């Protein structure tokens, strides 16, 4: 269970979210500026809410009334931002291994096979296509042994054909790894294919929340 109950204020923009999530993939859907990425940043510890609480399973990540605000590296969260943020001075192998935690149970071989990046390990980041970069970034996030995976429009920078090829990899992560995912997207087809639950945001407010079939 993921419990979100917090407020973020950025200048004149105010985000308020109150959700209890038990889905494998929760999609955050809405127009640009609705607050979708702000939700992910707050959960990841990159933006401090004004008040409220964030809890993943039994772990309290933020609680303003108790003075709890775990730093990002202690939250056990994998985050793939829009620009994927791979290290250009490292090859694929070292990018993937950079995220690995000591004692984590998920093997490098399993992740690489699942995302089909075994043949890319010695390549430089500059030699990767947009879809390959997305898969490498996803592998690096999984290597951190996350309790929650945050994906911020992971397919926005790739064309329709590459998007069609990448979606099955996201389905594999959903179906084989039992790691809950919060997924930001503008694409209704992605929501319908991947998500169990969707939250529609507008100007920092939840206007609809439920199953994709009911909400969309």
């Amino acid at each position: 269970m993921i419990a979100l109950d917090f407020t973020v204020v950025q200048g004149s923009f105010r985000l308020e979210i109150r959700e209890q999530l038990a889905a494998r993939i929760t999609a955050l859907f809405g127009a640009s500026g609705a607050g979708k990425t702000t939700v992910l940043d707050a959960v990841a510890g990159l933006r401090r809410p004004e008040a409220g609480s964030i809890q993943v399973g039994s772990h309290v990540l933020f609680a303003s009334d108790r003075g709890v605000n775990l730093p990002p590296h202690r939250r056990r969260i994998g985050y793939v931002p829009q620009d994927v943020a791979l290290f250009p001075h490292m090859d694929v192998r070292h990018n993937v291994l950079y995220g690995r935690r000591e004692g984590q149970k998920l093997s490098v071989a399993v992740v690489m096979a699942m995302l089909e990046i075994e043949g890319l390990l010695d390549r430089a980041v500059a030699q990767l296509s947009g879809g390959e970069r997305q898969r490498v970034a996803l592998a690096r996030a999984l290597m951190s042994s996350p309790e929650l995976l945050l994906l911020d429009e992971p397919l926005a920078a790739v064309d329709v054909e590459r998007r069609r090829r990448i979606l099955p990899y996201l389905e594999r992560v959903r179906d084989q790894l039992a790691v809950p995912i919060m997924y930001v997207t503008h694409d209704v087809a992605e929501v319908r294919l991947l998500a169990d639950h969707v939250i529609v945001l507008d100007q920092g407010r939840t206007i609809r929340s439920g199953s994709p079939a009911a909400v969309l």
Side-chain angles (χ1 to χ4, degrees):
M1 180 68 70
I2 302 163
L4 308 177
D5 183 358
F6 62 85
T7 301
V8 175
V9 177
Q10 300 171 236
S12 60
F13 179 77
R14 183 181 182 90
L15 167 77
E16 294 182 357
I17 186 164
R18 290 174 180 81
E19 294 283 344
Q20 299 278 336
L21 306 174
R24 291 179 301 170
I25 295 186
T26 297
L28 298 176
F29 186 82
S32 295
K36 304 182 300 297
T37 298
T38 301
V39 172
L40 297 195
D41 286 349
V43 173
L46 303 178
R47 192 181 302 275
R48 182 188 176 98
E50 294 295 308
S53 62
I54 301 169
Q55 185 168 335
V56 177
S58 61
H59 295 152
V60 177
L61 309 183
F62 177 81
S64 57
D65 60 345
R66 293 158 54 185
V68 175
N69 185 26
L70 295 184
H73 68 276
R74 291 183 54 202
R75 294 195 177 204
R76 301 295 295 262
I77 285 175
Y79 194 174
V80 180
Q82 289 185 36
D83 61 0
V84 304
L86 295 176
F87 299 119
H89 63 289
M90 295 182 181
D91 61 16
V92 167
R93 185 190 312 274
H94 288 92
N95 263 284
V96 172
L97 293 177
Y98 182 87
R100 192 177 188 188
R101 289 180 183 269
E102 288 297 325
Q104 66 120 338
K105 297 179 181 179
L106 187 61
S107 76
V108 176
V110 167
V111 170
M112 289 183 177
M114 179 185 301
L115 299 176
E116 296 183 2
I117 61 172
E118 306 103 310
L120 307 176
L121 296 181
D122 296 323
R123 286 197 199 175
V125 170
Q127 297 175 312
L128 301 177
S129 70
E132 289 168 344
R133 290 181 186 220
Q134 291 291 352
R135 282 150 55 198
V136 172
L138 184 55
R140 185 178 64 182
L142 291 171
M143 279 294 92
S144 67
S145 192
E147 294 183 352
L148 173 65
L149 190 59
L150 307 177
L151 305 180
D152 192 357
E153 297 196 63
L155 305 182
V158 299
D159 60 34
V160 173
E161 177 57 25
R162 286 198 182 98
R163 186 175 303 185
R164 184 185 64 79
R165 282 184 268 166
I166 295 170
L167 280 170
Y169 296 108
L170 297 177
E171 290 181 278
R172 289 183 194 179
V173 172
R174 177 195 65 192
D175 296 338
Q176 297 178 27
L177 292 185
V179 177
I181 298 171
M182 294 181 66
Y183 185 102
V184 167
T185 183
H186 291 281
D187 192 298
V188 172
E190 288 176 26
V191 174
R192 287 181 170 146
L193 179 64
L194 296 172
D196 310 297
H197 189 94
V198 58
I199 299 169
V200 181
L201 294 171
D202 183 39
Q203 298 182 16
R205 300 291 188 277
T206 298
I207 57 173
R208 291 190 297 279
S209 179
S211 70
V215 169
L216 300 177

